[in-house]
């Protein structure tokens, strides 16, 4: 497997020419460049053969609910990855019979979708909003089978943050962990100390609901547990 940005091979499309796998194991594609989602898949014994980030418009639509938004974006990423794989297969690359996993995570307060923060001011605004209150994290998962079927799930997790002190807020902003994170925090990092209560899936908050991922892949015929026998 070669991640996007590495020098071994260009990943503008898809290539599996260097992928070596036994005959019983179909191609597994993660439609994401997220190291967190990659690590979560590897946690359950599944290492993707290809990382295929899907570049789509992630702008929320007017009045769109957080759950609906997360589902739309996850399916959009999966469909885009499927299109890229078809194009690669048309060029003669060995990417047929692939399973695709895509996901999107949304942090919401009521109907308000919080941004993936890119500047400190955005992160500070999000963290002040989340301080001392309960919010919801919606992680949508989409799996595409080799037959082109798309199955999806949306996992909702509720979190309550403590009241953040000035020192905690300033320290977290200085850490830079908020950069590129939905809602301005990463629960698997320093912000784990902010969570008073989590009701739901911890792995979904990190970026990929593991129970649902394994269930959907297994349900579509991917040999998840045979992977375990060959670890």
């Amino acid at each position: 497997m070669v991640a996007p940005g590495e020098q071994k091979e260009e990943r503008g499309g898809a290539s599996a020419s260097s992928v070596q796998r036994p005959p019983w194991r179909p191609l597994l594609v993660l439609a994401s460049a997220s190291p967190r989602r990659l690590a979560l898949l590897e946690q359950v014994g599944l290492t993707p053969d290809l990382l295929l980030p899907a570049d789509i418009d992630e702008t929320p639509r007017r009045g769109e609910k957080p759950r609906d938004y997360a589902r739309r974006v996850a399916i959009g990423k999966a469909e885009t990855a499927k299109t890229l794989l078809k194009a690669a297969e048309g060029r003669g690359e060995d990417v047929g019979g692939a399973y695709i996993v895509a996901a999107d995570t949304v942090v919401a307060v009521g109907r308000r979708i919080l941004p993936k923060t890119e500047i400190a001011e955005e992160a500070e605004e999000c963290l002040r909003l989340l301080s001392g209150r309960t919010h919801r994290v919606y992680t949508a998962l989409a799996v595409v089978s080799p037959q082109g079927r798309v199955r999806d799930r949306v996992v909702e997790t509720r979190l309550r943050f403590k009241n953040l002190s000035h020192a905690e807020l300033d320290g977290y902003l200085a850490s830079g962990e908020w950069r590129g994170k939905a809602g301005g925090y990463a629960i698997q990092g320093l912000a784990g100390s902010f969570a008073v209560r989590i009701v739901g899936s911890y792995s979904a908050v990190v970026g990929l609901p593991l129970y649902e991922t394994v269930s959907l892949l297994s349900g579509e015929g991917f040999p998840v547990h045979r992977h375990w026998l060959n670890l």
Side-chain angles (χ1 to χ4, degrees), residues 27 162 175 177 198 227:
L27 194 75
K162 63 175 290 186
S175 77
E177 274 194 1
I198 299 178
H227 271 256

Side-chain angles (χ1 to χ4, degrees), residues 74-196:
I75 292 174
K77 290 177 180 178
E79 294 281 10
T80 299
K82 182 172 71 171
T83 299
L84 292 173
L85 286 176
K86 284 185 177 179
E89 190 174 11
R91 295 192 299 269
E93 297 184 31
D94 183 18
V95 293
Y99 287 81
I100 301 169
V101 175
D104 189 66
T105 300
V106 172
V107 175
V109 176
R111 294 173 61 102
R112 179 178 176 182
I113 297 172
L114 301 191
K116 294 179 181 176
T117 54
E118 298 297 340
I119 59 175
E121 289 76 13
E122 278 185 328
E124 181 176 4
E125 181 182 356
C126 287
L127 292 169
R128 289 190 184 280
L129 181 64
L130 298 175
S131 177
R133 70 189 303 170
T134 298
H135 64 278
R136 285 175 166 79
V137 176
Y138 299 92
T139 296
L141 168 71
V143 169
V144 181
S145 73
Q147 294 75 34
R149 289 190 299 271
V150 180
R151 299 183 62 194
D152 68 273
R153 296 283 188 278
V154 179
V155 178
E156 177 184 334
T157 305
R158 287 181 294 148
L159 288 86
R160 182 172 181 82
F161 271 15
K162 63 175 290 186
N163 286 305
L164 301 179
S165 68
H166 290 297
E168 288 169 325
L169 185 59
D170 291 345
Y172 193 71
L173 292 173
S175 77
E177 274 194 1
W178 49 267
R179 190 167 284 108
K181 304 300 191 301
Y185 73 90
I187 195 66
Q188 72 275 17
L190 300 173
S193 64
F194 300 161
V196 176

Side-chain angles (χ1 to χ4, degrees), residues 56-59 68-78 102-104:
I56 66 171
D57 183 4
E58 298 187 27
T59 305
D68 297 336
Y69 168 76
R71 181 175 183 269
R72 176 175 63 83
V73 172
I75 292 174
K77 290 177 180 178
D104 189 66

